[in-house]
Amino acid sequence: MAEQVDVVVIGMGPGGEHVAGRLAEAGLSVVGVEAELVGGECPYWGCVPSKMMIRAGNLLAEGRRIPGMAGASEVTPDWAPLARRIRDEATDDWNDRVAADRFTGKGGRLVRGRGRLAGPGRVEVAGQVFEALRGVVIATGTEPSVPPVPGLRDVPYWTNRDAVSAKEPPGSLLVLGGGAIGLELAQVYARFGTRVEIVEAMEGLLPAEEPEAGELLAEVLRREGVRIRTGARAAGARHAGDAFTLTLADGTELTADRLLVATGRRADLADLGLETVGLDPGARSLKVDGQLLAAHALWGVGDVTGHGAFTHVAMYEAEIVIRAVLGEPGPDADYRALPRVTFTDPEAGAVGLTERQAREKGLRVRTGLARVPSSTRGWIHKAGNDGLVKLVEDADRGVLVGATTVGPTGGEVMYGLAVAIQAQVPVEALRHMIYAYPTFHRGIEDALADLRAASEG
């Protein structure tokens, strides 16, 4: 016999936990299903501990920037306090009791195990069957995507989880993948003294973003001693003794003490029982409509929807689903101003479309570019002032459709541009705003001037 409840949430990462908790607080009977830790990837291996690592690495870098600007300095890296902080402050040594109690304290019921659909509105987990009278929410996140490199699955490579939970840094590290996760962790380890080499199959770093951002970060990382190989495809991997070896397509062999695989993330829908509700279990993501509905009374939230593997996307979608379950009106999801930040130093913020994406959509595009060191604040900042602002305009409508802000506070500078893109503020109105002096965000004004020059040229 199935036990009747109002809602079952499969996956209690940030989005799933938010949906489940809010619905429980609203008085519904809610079952939250989690196979690992309540809270998901973000607080235990992703957003929170990785940014603690980045903060520590940035402190080391700032200390090394003192000579020539404020005196003399001698910086000695020590991984131990960072490792302790991750264990004690961020993860409770990877114990989710606090998060689990937070959910049950709101009136929810937590069931440990892997949930699987068993027909419309029905979920099987840990030998139990629940019938969800209002609906089911799938929020199972993503897992590291491992490329089909011969031999790779047979070696004890690191994922981001291993890199975050390491008790000491290795002497040398190969990073397979030059996206956000790979670059963030590569820079942290390099700043703690690890010899780091990045291998990226595409022609530039951060291949999903503007090429100017990837080129700038490559220049910074090389100055910090990181070796970078782009356009380099891995053709084999092996492990012997204490060494990992990557063989590249051109025959080059690279060896290090550790190998970090950071080649993206993927949703695994195969074991969710989607076929029992007429959906494709082999799909790359869960196809949903504007209200996040995948089928009748079945919603998707977060990474599984394919709209971006970011906590902020999961939380945004969670709010839409909460309203839908409660029968409250609200707008459809709108991803035109989707923000993302790579928390390297400098930070690389981006929102909306890249120039390439805009052109692929058939837009008539104009771009404007400004360099942070050329701004007053960048000149004042001096050491560590690498950065740029790039604007992408839909020339026919006279509004921005994309922007990239790389710099010491690139993720923060991006915010105003996100508002401009979301609200479709005319570029001409942006030109006539007052930009505080001397700030990093005033560099947007320089990029707007370059955009005007492009329109007049």
Side-chain angles (χ1 to χ4, degrees), residues 258-303:
R258 289 288 179 184
L259 169 63
L260 169 62
V261 176
T263 47
R265 300 184 67 83
R266 68 179 187 90
D268 184 4
L269 306 181
D271 295 324
L272 286 173
L274 293 176
E275 66 279 3
T276 69
V277 294
L279 299 178
D280 180 9
R284 295 187 62 176
S285 60
L286 189 65
K287 186 176 181 180
V288 295
D289 66 12
Q291 290 291 306
L292 284 308
L293 266 176
H296 175 69
L298 177 67
W299 290 271
V301 164
D303 297 7

mmCIF file of all heavy atoms in Angstrom, residues 258-303:
data_model
loop_
_atom_site.group_PDB
_atom_site.id
_atom_site.type_symbol
_atom_site.label_atom_id
_atom_site.label_comp_id
_atom_site.label_asym_id
_atom_site.label_seq_id
_atom_site.Cartn_x
_atom_site.Cartn_y
_atom_site.Cartn_z
ATOM 1 N N ARG A 258 48.950 14.183 -8.707
ATOM 2 C CA ARG A 258 47.500 14.019 -8.688
ATOM 3 C C ARG A 258 46.927 14.459 -10.027
ATOM 4 O O ARG A 258 47.497 15.300 -10.721
ATOM 5 C CB ARG A 258 46.853 14.854 -7.573
ATOM 6 C CG ARG A 258 47.125 14.341 -6.168
ATOM 7 C CD ARG A 258 46.344 13.066 -5.895
ATOM 8 N NE ARG A 258 46.605 12.536 -4.559
ATOM 9 C CZ ARG A 258 46.097 11.387 -4.112
ATOM 10 N NH1 ARG A 258 45.316 10.658 -4.906
ATOM 11 N NH2 ARG A 258 46.378 10.973 -2.898
ATOM 12 N N LEU A 259 45.755 13.909 -10.346
ATOM 13 C CA LEU A 259 45.026 14.274 -11.556
ATOM 14 C C LEU A 259 43.611 14.684 -11.156
ATOM 15 O O LEU A 259 42.870 13.887 -10.581
ATOM 16 C CB LEU A 259 44.975 13.098 -12.526
ATOM 17 C CG LEU A 259 44.035 13.230 -13.726
ATOM 18 C CD1 LEU A 259 44.460 14.393 -14.627
ATOM 19 C CD2 LEU A 259 43.982 11.925 -14.520
ATOM 20 N N LEU A 260 43.261 15.929 -11.452
ATOM 21 C CA LEU A 260 41.914 16.443 -11.183
ATOM 22 C C LEU A 260 41.133 16.476 -12.487
ATOM 23 O O LEU A 260 41.551 17.114 -13.454
ATOM 24 C CB LEU A 260 41.999 17.851 -10.585
ATOM 25 C CG LEU A 260 40.686 18.640 -10.490
ATOM 26 C CD1 LEU A 260 39.683 17.948 -9.576
ATOM 27 C CD2 LEU A 260 40.951 20.075 -10.018
ATOM 28 N N VAL A 261 39.998 15.787 -12.509
ATOM 29 C CA VAL A 261 39.124 15.805 -13.682
ATOM 30 C C VAL A 261 38.035 16.844 -13.433
ATOM 31 O O VAL A 261 37.211 16.698 -12.524
ATOM 32 C CB VAL A 261 38.508 14.423 -13.952
ATOM 33 C CG1 VAL A 261 37.521 14.494 -15.116
ATOM 34 C CG2 VAL A 261 39.612 13.410 -14.254
ATOM 35 N N ALA A 262 38.050 17.898 -14.225
ATOM 36 C CA ALA A 262 37.095 18.999 -14.072
ATOM 37 C C ALA A 262 36.552 19.373 -15.441
ATOM 38 O O ALA A 262 36.726 20.496 -15.921
ATOM 39 C CB ALA A 262 37.774 20.187 -13.404
ATOM 40 N N THR A 263 35.897 18.417 -16.071
ATOM 41 C CA THR A 263 35.424 18.590 -17.450
ATOM 42 C C THR A 263 33.912 18.763 -17.508
ATOM 43 O O THR A 263 33.257 18.329 -18.447
ATOM 44 C CB THR A 263 35.851 17.390 -18.307
ATOM 45 O OG1 THR A 263 35.548 16.173 -17.608
ATOM 46 C CG2 THR A 263 37.335 17.430 -18.597
ATOM 47 N N GLY A 264 33.358 19.412 -16.499
ATOM 48 C CA GLY A 264 31.933 19.701 -16.506
ATOM 49 C C GLY A 264 31.128 18.733 -15.659
ATOM 50 O O GLY A 264 31.667 17.832 -15.006
ATOM 51 N N ARG A 265 29.816 18.945 -15.670
ATOM 52 C CA ARG A 265 28.898 18.116 -14.888
ATOM 53 C C ARG A 265 27.738 17.681 -15.774
ATOM 54 O O ARG A 265 27.435 18.315 -16.788
ATOM 55 C CB ARG A 265 28.376 18.893 -13.669
ATOM 56 C CG ARG A 265 29.500 19.336 -12.729
ATOM 57 C CD ARG A 265 28.957 20.018 -11.490
ATOM 58 N NE ARG A 265 28.214 19.107 -10.632
ATOM 59 C CZ ARG A 265 28.773 18.302 -9.737
ATOM 60 N NH1 ARG A 265 30.086 18.279 -9.576
ATOM 61 N NH2 ARG A 265 28.026 17.515 -8.989
ATOM 62 N N ARG A 266 27.096 16.587 -15.369
ATOM 63 C CA ARG A 266 25.985 16.077 -16.170
ATOM 64 C C ARG A 266 24.882 15.563 -15.269
ATOM 65 O O ARG A 266 25.127 15.096 -14.146
ATOM 66 C CB ARG A 266 26.455 14.949 -17.095
ATOM 67 C CG ARG A 266 26.859 13.686 -16.365
ATOM 68 C CD ARG A 266 27.302 12.585 -17.310
ATOM 69 N NE ARG A 266 27.525 11.332 -16.603
ATOM 70 C CZ ARG A 266 26.574 10.404 -16.416
ATOM 71 N NH1 ARG A 266 25.368 10.591 -16.899
ATOM 72 N NH2 ARG A 266 26.844 9.295 -15.755
ATOM 73 N N ALA A 267 23.666 15.656 -15.753
ATOM 74 C CA ALA A 267 22.518 15.088 -15.043
ATOM 75 C C ALA A 267 22.405 13.614 -15.411
ATOM 76 O O ALA A 267 22.582 13.235 -16.565
ATOM 77 C CB ALA A 267 21.243 15.821 -15.428
ATOM 78 N N ASP A 268 22.123 12.769 -14.423
ATOM 79 C CA ASP A 268 21.926 11.345 -14.661
ATOM 80 C C ASP A 268 20.454 11.025 -14.417
ATOM 81 O O ASP A 268 20.004 10.894 -13.279
ATOM 82 C CB ASP A 268 22.814 10.514 -13.722
ATOM 83 C CG ASP A 268 22.713 9.019 -14.014
ATOM 84 O OD1 ASP A 268 22.022 8.652 -14.992
ATOM 85 O OD2 ASP A 268 23.322 8.228 -13.272
ATOM 86 N N LEU A 269 19.696 10.938 -15.490
ATOM 87 C CA LEU A 269 18.259 10.704 -15.387
ATOM 88 C C LEU A 269 17.884 9.235 -15.536
ATOM 89 O O LEU A 269 16.706 8.876 -15.395
ATOM 90 C CB LEU A 269 17.524 11.515 -16.469
ATOM 91 C CG LEU A 269 17.807 13.018 -16.519
ATOM 92 C CD1 LEU A 269 16.971 13.664 -17.620
ATOM 93 C CD2 LEU A 269 17.517 13.668 -15.178
ATOM 94 N N ALA A 270 18.867 8.380 -15.782
ATOM 95 C CA ALA A 270 18.580 6.994 -16.178
ATOM 96 C C ALA A 270 17.841 6.207 -15.121
ATOM 97 O O ALA A 270 17.013 5.347 -15.446
ATOM 98 C CB ALA A 270 19.888 6.289 -16.543
ATOM 99 N N ASP A 271 18.129 6.448 -13.837
ATOM 100 C CA ASP A 271 17.555 5.620 -12.777
ATOM 101 C C ASP A 271 16.425 6.304 -12.012
ATOM 102 O O ASP A 271 16.091 5.912 -10.887
ATOM 103 C CB ASP A 271 18.657 5.207 -11.794
ATOM 104 C CG ASP A 271 19.702 4.315 -12.448
ATOM 105 O OD1 ASP A 271 19.314 3.502 -13.301
ATOM 106 O OD2 ASP A 271 20.895 4.444 -12.115
ATOM 107 N N LEU A 272 15.803 7.310 -12.613
ATOM 108 C CA LEU A 272 14.732 8.037 -11.920
ATOM 109 C C LEU A 272 13.339 7.494 -12.241
ATOM 110 O O LEU A 272 12.349 7.977 -11.702
ATOM 111 C CB LEU A 272 14.788 9.525 -12.274
ATOM 112 C CG LEU A 272 15.920 10.319 -11.638
ATOM 113 C CD1 LEU A 272 15.959 11.730 -12.194
ATOM 114 C CD2 LEU A 272 15.744 10.351 -10.123
ATOM 115 N N GLY A 273 13.251 6.504 -13.131
ATOM 116 C CA GLY A 273 11.944 5.961 -13.479
ATOM 117 C C GLY A 273 11.120 6.877 -14.359
ATOM 118 O O GLY A 273 9.884 6.793 -14.363
ATOM 119 N N LEU A 274 11.777 7.734 -15.128
ATOM 120 C CA LEU A 274 11.049 8.678 -15.972
ATOM 121 C C LEU A 274 10.165 7.982 -17.000
ATOM 122 O O LEU A 274 9.124 8.512 -17.403
ATOM 123 C CB LEU A 274 12.034 9.611 -16.680
ATOM 124 C CG LEU A 274 12.807 10.593 -15.795
ATOM 125 C CD1 LEU A 274 13.807 11.376 -16.633
ATOM 126 C CD2 LEU A 274 11.852 11.537 -15.076
ATOM 127 N N GLU A 275 10.595 6.790 -17.405
ATOM 128 C CA GLU A 275 9.794 6.059 -18.399
ATOM 129 C C GLU A 275 8.409 5.704 -17.869
ATOM 130 O O GLU A 275 7.477 5.506 -18.651
ATOM 131 C CB GLU A 275 10.533 4.799 -18.849
ATOM 132 C CG GLU A 275 10.721 3.729 -17.767
ATOM 133 C CD GLU A 275 11.892 3.998 -16.833
ATOM 134 O OE1 GLU A 275 12.540 5.054 -16.979
ATOM 135 O OE2 GLU A 275 12.153 3.139 -15.972
ATOM 136 N N THR A 276 8.248 5.654 -16.549
ATOM 137 C CA THR A 276 6.937 5.311 -15.967
ATOM 138 C C THR A 276 5.939 6.454 -16.062
ATOM 139 O O THR A 276 4.752 6.261 -15.792
ATOM 140 C CB THR A 276 7.078 4.891 -14.490
ATOM 141 O OG1 THR A 276 7.443 6.033 -13.695
ATOM 142 C CG2 THR A 276 8.111 3.790 -14.317
ATOM 143 N N VAL A 277 6.428 7.646 -16.450
ATOM 144 C CA VAL A 277 5.513 8.786 -16.633
ATOM 145 C C VAL A 277 5.617 9.328 -18.055
ATOM 146 O O VAL A 277 5.226 10.457 -18.340
ATOM 147 C CB VAL A 277 5.802 9.908 -15.610
ATOM 148 C CG1 VAL A 277 5.484 9.436 -14.205
ATOM 149 C CG2 VAL A 277 7.256 10.391 -15.690
ATOM 150 N N GLY A 278 6.159 8.492 -18.956
ATOM 151 C CA GLY A 278 6.195 8.847 -20.364
ATOM 152 C C GLY A 278 7.305 9.786 -20.774
ATOM 153 O O GLY A 278 7.244 10.386 -21.855
ATOM 154 N N LEU A 279 8.349 9.910 -19.944
ATOM 155 C CA LEU A 279 9.478 10.785 -20.265
ATOM 156 C C LEU A 279 10.701 9.958 -20.629
ATOM 157 O O LEU A 279 10.786 8.773 -20.301
ATOM 158 C CB LEU A 279 9.781 11.713 -19.091
ATOM 159 C CG LEU A 279 8.651 12.668 -18.688
ATOM 160 C CD1 LEU A 279 9.065 13.501 -17.478
ATOM 161 C CD2 LEU A 279 8.245 13.567 -19.851
ATOM 162 N N ASP A 280 11.665 10.595 -21.283
ATOM 163 C CA ASP A 280 12.846 9.908 -21.801
ATOM 164 C C ASP A 280 13.941 9.839 -20.735
ATOM 165 O O ASP A 280 14.531 10.869 -20.385
ATOM 166 C CB ASP A 280 13.366 10.662 -23.024
ATOM 167 C CG ASP A 280 14.605 10.025 -23.636
ATOM 168 O OD1 ASP A 280 14.964 8.898 -23.218
ATOM 169 O OD2 ASP A 280 15.205 10.650 -24.531
ATOM 170 N N PRO A 281 14.253 8.644 -20.224
ATOM 171 C CA PRO A 281 15.308 8.517 -19.216
ATOM 172 C C PRO A 281 16.712 8.718 -19.778
ATOM 173 O O PRO A 281 17.671 8.860 -19.024
ATOM 174 C CB PRO A 281 15.137 7.095 -18.695
ATOM 175 C CG PRO A 281 14.521 6.352 -19.829
ATOM 176 C CD PRO A 281 13.624 7.338 -20.524
ATOM 177 N N GLY A 282 16.841 8.739 -21.098
ATOM 178 C CA GLY A 282 18.142 8.932 -21.716
ATOM 179 C C GLY A 282 18.422 10.366 -22.104
ATOM 180 O O GLY A 282 19.475 10.659 -22.675
ATOM 181 N N ALA A 283 17.520 11.267 -21.771
ATOM 182 C CA ALA A 283 17.699 12.672 -22.127
ATOM 183 C C ALA A 283 18.842 13.297 -21.329
ATOM 184 O O ALA A 283 19.177 12.850 -20.235
ATOM 185 C CB ALA A 283 16.406 13.440 -21.875
ATOM 186 N N ARG A 284 19.431 14.357 -21.873
ATOM 187 C CA ARG A 284 20.530 15.046 -21.191
ATOM 188 C C ARG A 284 20.017 15.893 -20.026
ATOM 189 O O ARG A 284 20.748 16.160 -19.080
ATOM 190 C CB ARG A 284 21.290 15.918 -22.178
ATOM 191 C CG ARG A 284 21.991 15.134 -23.269
ATOM 192 C CD ARG A 284 22.864 16.015 -24.126
ATOM 193 N NE ARG A 284 23.932 16.639 -23.350
ATOM 194 C CZ ARG A 284 24.883 17.390 -23.888
ATOM 195 N NH1 ARG A 284 24.880 17.638 -25.187
ATOM 196 N NH2 ARG A 284 25.825 17.913 -23.142
ATOM 197 N N SER A 285 18.772 16.332 -20.121
ATOM 198 C CA SER A 285 18.184 17.114 -19.047
ATOM 199 C C SER A 285 16.682 16.883 -19.049
ATOM 200 O O SER A 285 16.120 16.321 -19.998
ATOM 201 C CB SER A 285 18.495 18.608 -19.214
ATOM 202 O OG SER A 285 17.971 19.096 -20.437
ATOM 203 N N LEU A 286 16.030 17.309 -17.993
ATOM 204 C CA LEU A 286 14.588 17.150 -17.846
ATOM 205 C C LEU A 286 13.914 18.329 -18.522
ATOM 206 O O LEU A 286 14.048 19.474 -18.067
ATOM 207 C CB LEU A 286 14.229 17.091 -16.360
ATOM 208 C CG LEU A 286 12.797 16.722 -15.987
ATOM 209 C CD1 LEU A 286 12.476 15.291 -16.421
ATOM 210 C CD2 LEU A 286 12.591 16.884 -14.485
ATOM 211 N N LYS A 287 13.210 18.086 -19.598
ATOM 212 C CA LYS A 287 12.570 19.166 -20.329
ATOM 213 C C LYS A 287 11.357 19.663 -19.550
ATOM 214 O O LYS A 287 10.458 18.890 -19.210
ATOM 215 C CB LYS A 287 12.150 18.681 -21.721
ATOM 216 C CG LYS A 287 11.610 19.793 -22.611
ATOM 217 C CD LYS A 287 11.286 19.295 -24.006
ATOM 218 C CE LYS A 287 10.766 20.432 -24.883
ATOM 219 N NZ LYS A 287 10.444 19.964 -26.254
ATOM 220 N N VAL A 288 11.346 20.968 -19.271
ATOM 221 C CA VAL A 288 10.266 21.565 -18.489
ATOM 222 C C VAL A 288 9.719 22.786 -19.214
ATOM 223 O O VAL A 288 10.370 23.355 -20.088
ATOM 224 C CB VAL A 288 10.757 21.975 -17.080
ATOM 225 C CG1 VAL A 288 11.154 20.752 -16.260
ATOM 226 C CG2 VAL A 288 11.921 22.963 -17.173
ATOM 227 N N ASP A 289 8.510 23.209 -18.821
ATOM 228 C CA ASP A 289 7.932 24.422 -19.402
ATOM 229 C C ASP A 289 8.273 25.623 -18.534
ATOM 230 O O ASP A 289 9.105 25.540 -17.621
ATOM 231 C CB ASP A 289 6.417 24.263 -19.603
ATOM 232 C CG ASP A 289 5.635 24.143 -18.290
ATOM 233 O OD1 ASP A 289 6.212 24.399 -17.204
ATOM 234 O OD2 ASP A 289 4.435 23.809 -18.350
ATOM 235 N N GLY A 290 7.648 26.745 -18.796
ATOM 236 C CA GLY A 290 7.961 27.966 -18.078
ATOM 237 C C GLY A 290 7.663 27.913 -16.598
ATOM 238 O O GLY A 290 8.235 28.677 -15.812
ATOM 239 N N GLN A 291 6.765 27.018 -16.190
ATOM 240 C CA GLN A 291 6.445 26.833 -14.778
ATOM 241 C C GLN A 291 7.169 25.631 -14.197
ATOM 242 O O GLN A 291 6.824 25.148 -13.129
ATOM 243 C CB GLN A 291 4.926 26.685 -14.590
ATOM 244 C CG GLN A 291 4.160 27.979 -14.843
ATOM 245 C CD GLN A 291 4.433 29.025 -13.784
ATOM 246 O OE1 GLN A 291 4.270 28.782 -12.597
ATOM 247 N NE2 GLN A 291 4.840 30.225 -14.219
ATOM 248 N N LEU A 292 8.177 25.153 -14.908
ATOM 249 C CA LEU A 292 9.034 24.037 -14.499
ATOM 250 C C LEU A 292 8.309 22.691 -14.487
ATOM 251 O O LEU A 292 8.792 21.737 -13.852
ATOM 252 C CB LEU A 292 9.689 24.298 -13.133
ATOM 253 C CG LEU A 292 10.865 25.282 -13.090
ATOM 254 C CD1 LEU A 292 11.935 24.927 -14.100
ATOM 255 C CD2 LEU A 292 10.438 26.714 -13.267
ATOM 256 N N LEU A 293 7.208 22.583 -15.192
ATOM 257 C CA LEU A 293 6.479 21.324 -15.293
ATOM 258 C C LEU A 293 7.114 20.442 -16.368
ATOM 259 O O LEU A 293 7.332 20.884 -17.498
ATOM 260 C CB LEU A 293 5.020 21.563 -15.658
ATOM 261 C CG LEU A 293 3.993 21.651 -14.518
ATOM 262 C CD1 LEU A 293 2.631 22.002 -15.102
ATOM 263 C CD2 LEU A 293 3.909 20.341 -13.741
ATOM 264 N N ALA A 294 7.377 19.183 -15.998
ATOM 265 C CA ALA A 294 7.883 18.204 -16.955
ATOM 266 C C ALA A 294 6.773 17.276 -17.434
ATOM 267 O O ALA A 294 6.833 16.729 -18.532
ATOM 268 C CB ALA A 294 9.002 17.375 -16.326
ATOM 269 N N ALA A 295 5.780 17.081 -16.609
ATOM 270 C CA ALA A 295 4.602 16.265 -16.904
ATOM 271 C C ALA A 295 3.544 16.689 -15.895
ATOM 272 O O ALA A 295 3.787 17.536 -15.029
ATOM 273 C CB ALA A 295 4.916 14.770 -16.789
ATOM 274 N N HIS A 296 2.378 16.094 -15.961
ATOM 275 C CA HIS A 296 1.318 16.473 -15.037
ATOM 276 C C HIS A 296 1.778 16.278 -13.589
ATOM 277 O O HIS A 296 2.196 15.180 -13.204
ATOM 278 C CB HIS A 296 0.061 15.629 -15.292
ATOM 279 C CG HIS A 296 -1.032 15.891 -14.291
ATOM 280 N ND1 HIS A 296 -1.717 17.090 -14.246
ATOM 281 C CD2 HIS A 296 -1.521 15.113 -13.276
ATOM 282 C CE1 HIS A 296 -2.591 17.043 -13.253
ATOM 283 N NE2 HIS A 296 -2.500 15.860 -12.656
ATOM 284 N N ALA A 297 1.728 17.355 -12.802
ATOM 285 C CA ALA A 297 2.082 17.327 -11.378
ATOM 286 C C ALA A 297 3.502 16.797 -11.137
ATOM 287 O O ALA A 297 3.788 16.205 -10.104
ATOM 288 C CB ALA A 297 1.069 16.500 -10.586
ATOM 289 N N LEU A 298 4.396 17.023 -12.100
ATOM 290 C CA LEU A 298 5.802 16.638 -11.956
ATOM 291 C C LEU A 298 6.663 17.826 -12.364
ATOM 292 O O LEU A 298 6.639 18.245 -13.525
ATOM 293 C CB LEU A 298 6.122 15.421 -12.827
ATOM 294 C CG LEU A 298 7.592 14.962 -12.815
ATOM 295 C CD1 LEU A 298 7.977 14.424 -11.443
ATOM 296 C CD2 LEU A 298 7.832 13.896 -13.890
ATOM 297 N N TRP A 299 7.408 18.356 -11.408
ATOM 298 C CA TRP A 299 8.224 19.535 -11.655
ATOM 299 C C TRP A 299 9.712 19.189 -11.589
ATOM 300 O O TRP A 299 10.108 18.237 -10.920
ATOM 301 C CB TRP A 299 7.944 20.613 -10.608
ATOM 302 C CG TRP A 299 6.605 21.270 -10.712
ATOM 303 C CD1 TRP A 299 6.271 22.372 -11.448
ATOM 304 C CD2 TRP A 299 5.392 20.880 -10.046
ATOM 305 N NE1 TRP A 299 4.941 22.689 -11.282
ATOM 306 C CE2 TRP A 299 4.376 21.793 -10.426
ATOM 307 C CE3 TRP A 299 5.067 19.834 -9.159
ATOM 308 C CZ2 TRP A 299 3.077 21.689 -9.953
ATOM 309 C CZ3 TRP A 299 3.771 19.734 -8.695
ATOM 310 C CH2 TRP A 299 2.786 20.659 -9.098
ATOM 311 N N GLY A 300 10.522 19.976 -12.266
ATOM 312 C CA GLY A 300 11.965 19.864 -12.167
ATOM 313 C C GLY A 300 12.543 21.136 -11.595
ATOM 314 O O GLY A 300 12.036 22.234 -11.855
ATOM 315 N N VAL A 301 13.611 20.997 -10.821
ATOM 316 C CA VAL A 301 14.265 22.147 -10.194
ATOM 317 C C VAL A 301 15.775 21.964 -10.248
ATOM 318 O O VAL A 301 16.286 20.875 -9.949
ATOM 319 C CB VAL A 301 13.822 22.315 -8.722
ATOM 320 C CG1 VAL A 301 14.766 23.235 -7.961
ATOM 321 C CG2 VAL A 301 12.405 22.865 -8.643
ATOM 322 N N GLY A 302 16.488 23.022 -10.616
ATOM 323 C CA GLY A 302 17.944 23.009 -10.517
ATOM 324 C C GLY A 302 18.645 22.407 -11.717
ATOM 325 O O GLY A 302 18.153 22.456 -12.852
ATOM 326 N N ASP A 303 19.804 21.810 -11.462
ATOM 327 C CA ASP A 303 20.689 21.331 -12.530
ATOM 328 C C ASP A 303 19.988 20.427 -13.533
ATOM 329 O O ASP A 303 20.310 20.456 -14.730
ATOM 330 C CB ASP A 303 21.871 20.558 -11.938
ATOM 331 C CG ASP A 303 22.763 21.411 -11.050
ATOM 332 O OD1 ASP A 303 22.413 22.569 -10.783
ATOM 333 O OD2 ASP A 303 23.813 20.895 -10.616
#
